[in-house]
Amino acid sequence: MNRLGIIAVVAAAIVAVALPFFLAPFGIYLISMWTVLTIAAIGLNLTLGYAGQVSLAQGAFVGIGAYCVALMTQAGWPYPFAFVCAGLLCFVIGWILGYPALRVQHHYLAFVTLAFTTLVFLVLRNEEWLTHGIYGIDGIARPTLLGWSTGEALDFYVFSLGALTVLAATTWWMLRSPWGRAFVALRENPIRALSLGLDTRRYTLMAFAIGSSLGGLAGALYAPLVQFIEPSSFALGLSFNLLLMVIVGGSGYFFGPFVGALIAVLLPEWLRVTQGYYLIVYAAAVMIMMALCPSGLLGLAERAAKAVLRRDPPPVAPLRIEVTEP
Amino acid sequence: MSAVLEVSNLRKTFGGITAVDDVSFEVREGEILGIIGPNGSGKSTLFNCVLGQLTPNQGEVRVDGRVTTGMRPCDLNRLGVSRTFQLLQVFPQLSVRDNLILAGQEHQGSMFSRLIGHPDAGLGPAAEQMIAFFRLSHLSDEQAGALSYGQQKLLDAAMAFMAGPRLVLLDEPAGGVNLTMLGNLRDRLQAYHAQRNATFVVIEHQMEFVMALCTRVLVLAQGRIIAEGTPQDIRRNPVVIEAYLGH
């Protein structure tokens, strides 16, 4: 990462810490939602942006994580244990969902994962004995950790921001390891990767499992944040929304999900003044953005920074992978 | 000299077409074997069967006496069988150095040890050495996609050598490379061969390249071996001339 990038990240971190002191409770709720969605989008960025596996199932994993935590904590299990279980459960299910990815690619894989999302939605809605069906689960308590209650909006934000920081740092570290290089190889040329000794099967499954696990952990924060969950929150719409965050932010850029989730959380709120037209405006804005910068906002920022710094012509390949940098 | 690679009675059919028809040969340690033949003679299919990319209908492949038929390419690679591709196959968005580290990183430790290990998997110096050997040092931080075609060909070959393989199969290394770069590539392959007593199998169209590089040549036509010998013998063999110029 160059100096400009480091300055931008540090500035963003300061804003993230200071911002809640200037916000009303609803504003704090929104930025808490941003941290939660960012975690889920980081997971999808790993699967899609780095390893190149298209997935429309990330929303379903958020749902599995949320239900796991809601049901376990209401059954009396401690929250930290339920949190870990949500991650592990989604890791295992993600690993299994990775198997189709070994046989199909691109839009076919999108269909497989789309079917999975629909399946999870139907289970959440129909298996009333477990999930309470369409009535959902309410009264989900915010956790108390080592005597620190996160019941207040600000406390919960601090907790979820902390979780985001730890999970993002872990992902960053993993992407800098030889695994990150292997994931990019999987995306760019799986056949060549295989001929260089890369066990592409294991890396593909691992990319799915870890990405899904981050989705589950996001869900484990989502449940106590909103305190009421129901199946329709985790239907296809959420998966598409997470996909949008990854693409708009910049797929394959480490900080892409942070930017994409911010847009996805804030833009609908800002557009509320347009009342009934906000979805139309939102959709149009996204379409224009994608036409102008297919590599996402960070791709655009990078092109701009390069133009200013070097006055070189823009590169042909729009993506630049963070892992390769020392 | 012992055989590094033994291929016996290999046959591969696609529908009604027999691409490789009962082919047997062996590659001895330290030799550079050329495989030539007209388009569609089955050279690439033969390569892909040997390398586990295709499963042969019949026959057996052995590496150092061990049967490898049906083995996955990644497992075969870790046994020391490496390859280059006919069409360029580098990772364009990784740097030249990362392309080489990637080519070596799966050959050591377990998947888990790679996760917790050093980002360059301890291969940084080895990668720089290989880059220097192929005279690409000034480009080691560049993205591979930004290199010229000839430079990418060199990188492709460097990647095949990175893990110190027992046997390297080169699929048309000279294809589409200009004459200067071709001389450069041949020079580097010969130097590597001389230093490490490495064993190569080369598929090639470019006759001069094969004649200058190889110690022994096999000629394939319609899926069968029709001639075998030193480059000089092959050049004069009427059967070979017929296969190339006939029709």
Side-chain angles (χ1 to χ4, degrees):
Chain A
M1 196 166 27
N2 57 31
R3 195 176 302 158
L4 219 67
I6 293 171
I7 294 169
V9 170
V10 171
I14 292 169
V15 171
V17 172
L19 193 62
F21 298 103
F22 301 97
L23 291 175
F26 182 68
I28 298 176
Y29 169 83
L30 280 185
I31 54 173
S32 303
M33 186 57 87
W34 167 74
T35 61
V36 171
L37 292 177
T38 301
I39 292 170
I42 288 174
L44 183 59
N45 191 34
L46 183 74
T47 315
L48 174 82
Y50 284 91
Q53 310 294 319
V54 181
S55 169
L56 282 174
Q58 193 69 350
F61 286 109
V62 176
I64 292 170
Y67 269 86
C68 176
V69 158
L71 291 170
M72 281 183 76
T73 51
Q74 294 202 340
W77 295 93
Y79 178 82
F81 181 67
F83 182 84
V84 172
C85 283
L88 286 179
L89 180 65
C90 288
F91 184 92
V92 172
I93 298 174
W95 183 279
I96 295 166
L97 185 67
Y99 277 93
L102 302 172
R103 306 203 68 90
V104 295
Q105 285 282 313
H106 308 302
H107 42 293
Y108 299 102
L109 183 57
F111 277 119
V112 172
T113 51
L114 186 147
F116 173 78
T117 302
T118 309
L119 181 79
V120 169
F121 170 71
L122 290 175
V123 169
L124 294 181
R125 197 189 64 183
N126 296 347
E127 301 302 314
E128 290 183 10
W129 60 273
L130 180 68
T131 65
H132 306 199
I134 54 168
Y135 301 109
I137 302 173
D138 64 359
I140 302 163
R142 289 187 176 170
T144 300
L145 304 157
L146 303 171
W148 171 45
S149 165
T150 61
E152 291 299 318
L154 182 62
D155 290 303
F156 193 82
Y157 172 70
V158 171
F159 169 57
S160 64
L161 186 66
L164 170 63
T165 309
V166 170
L167 292 172
T170 310
T171 308
W172 170 262
W173 170 77
M174 182 184 69
L175 288 170
R176 273 175 58 91
S177 83
W179 281 27
R181 201 180 287 114
F183 286 145
V184 174
L186 204 60
R187 178 190 73 201
E188 296 212 322
N189 195 337
I191 292 173
R192 179 57 162 156
L194 195 63
S195 87
L196 291 172
L198 247 87
D199 193 334
T200 48
R201 190 192 300 171
R202 273 163 82 184
Y203 277 113
T204 304
L205 295 176
M206 200 50 102
F208 254 97
I210 298 172
S212 306
S213 165
L214 283 165
L217 294 177
L221 292 167
Y222 180 90
L225 171 65
V226 299
Q227 299 184 293
F228 167 69
I229 55 173
E230 45 137 4
S232 65
S233 309
F234 310 109
L236 258 180
L238 180 60
S239 285
F240 276 117
N241 217 345
L242 286 164
L243 184 67
L244 192 78
M245 291 174 212
V246 171
I247 308 276
V248 166
S251 161
Y253 286 91
F254 183 78
F255 290 104
F258 293 76
V259 177
L262 195 65
I263 301 282
V265 170
L266 290 186
L267 211 53
E269 298 301 326
W270 287 341
L271 290 174
R272 258 183 222 288
V273 289
T274 61
Q275 293 179 346
Y277 295 106
Y278 98 90
L279 268 179
I280 296 172
V281 178
Y282 181 46
V286 168
M287 280 194 279
I288 292 167
M289 196 145 68
M290 287 333 294
L292 293 180
C293 50
S295 56
L297 287 171
L298 284 189
L300 190 71
E302 189 180 70
R303 267 191 293 171
K306 269 189 182 161
V308 171
L309 290 176
R310 287 203 281 170
R311 299 195 177 274
D312 275 357
V316 182
L319 288 178
R320 180 136 170 265
I321 306 306
E322 306 271 358
V323 241
T324 63
E325 295 177 4
Chain B
M1 279 193 289
S2 61
V4 177
L5 176 71
E6 293 164 84
V7 173
S8 40
N9 308 105
L10 202 74
R11 182 197 297 274
K12 178 69 188 175
T13 57
F14 297 105
I17 298 163
T18 306
V20 174
D21 193 359
D22 205 26
V23 167
S24 302
F25 64 94
E26 59 175 45
V27 183
R28 295 183 282 265
E29 189 160 4
E31 78 169 336
I32 304 183
L33 175 72
I35 299 181
I36 62 171
N39 280 330
S41 59
K43 303 185 298 289
S44 288
T45 306
L46 177 63
F47 246 38
N48 286 331
C49 287
V50 169
L51 285 158
Q53 242 115 19
L54 289 172
T55 311
N57 299 76
Q58 173 206 305
E60 202 172 70
V61 179
R62 285 166 183 268
V63 175
D64 285 324
R66 182 170 168 180
V67 179
T68 61
T69 331
M71 203 180 252
R72 288 188 303 161
C74 58
D75 296 326
L76 200 60
N77 180 255
R78 277 181 263 168
L79 270 185
V81 182
S82 183
R83 77 170 297 183
T84 66
F85 286 81
Q86 188 172 345
L87 297 172
L88 263 183
Q89 305 258 11
V90 298
F91 301 99
Q93 289 179 17
L94 291 178
S95 69
V96 170
R97 184 189 294 105
D98 275 312
N99 266 278
L100 284 169
I101 293 174
L102 181 76
Q105 71 177 33
E106 303 296 318
H107 288 257
Q108 47 184 32
S110 66
M111 193 156 165
F112 183 69
S113 74
R114 283 191 285 279
L115 175 64
I116 56 171
H118 192 270
D120 75 5
L123 290 168
E128 290 299 343
Q129 245 177 352
M130 191 55 84
I131 292 168
F133 183 80
F134 278 88
R135 299 168 181 154
L136 294 169
S137 290
H138 56 298
L139 297 167
S140 75
D141 290 320
E142 293 292 327
Q143 287 188 3
L147 270 55
S148 77
Y149 187 83
Q151 289 165 338
Q152 291 192 27
K153 275 274 184 187
L154 286 176
L155 174 59
D156 197 28
M159 283 160 75
F161 294 145
M162 184 63 194
R166 188 93 179 92
L167 171 70
V168 185
L169 289 85
L170 301 133
D171 194 350
E172 299 205 10
V177 180
N178 70 42
L179 280 177
T180 319
M181 197 50 96
L182 193 62
N184 203 350
L185 182 65
R186 195 180 69 206
D187 170 62
R188 290 297 87 198
L189 293 178
Q190 279 171 329
Y192 186 88
H193 179 254
Q195 275 181 21
R196 312 271 186 111
N197 193 31
T199 311
F200 295 163
V201 181
V202 183
I203 285 184
E204 191 47 76
H205 268 302
Q206 226 268 7
M207 281 295 218
E208 288 312 311
F209 188 80
V210 173
M211 296 303 169
L213 188 66
C214 298
T215 47
R216 188 161 67 99
V217 178
L218 290 180
V219 186
L220 219 60
Q222 291 169 348
R224 289 171 171 279
I225 295 175
I226 58 163
E228 185 198 332
T230 63
Q232 291 75 23
D233 294 342
I234 294 297
R235 210 196 280 272
R236 273 173 293 189
N237 189 323
V239 182
V240 177
I241 296 168
E242 167 71 22
Y244 265 95
L245 304 175
H247 307 299

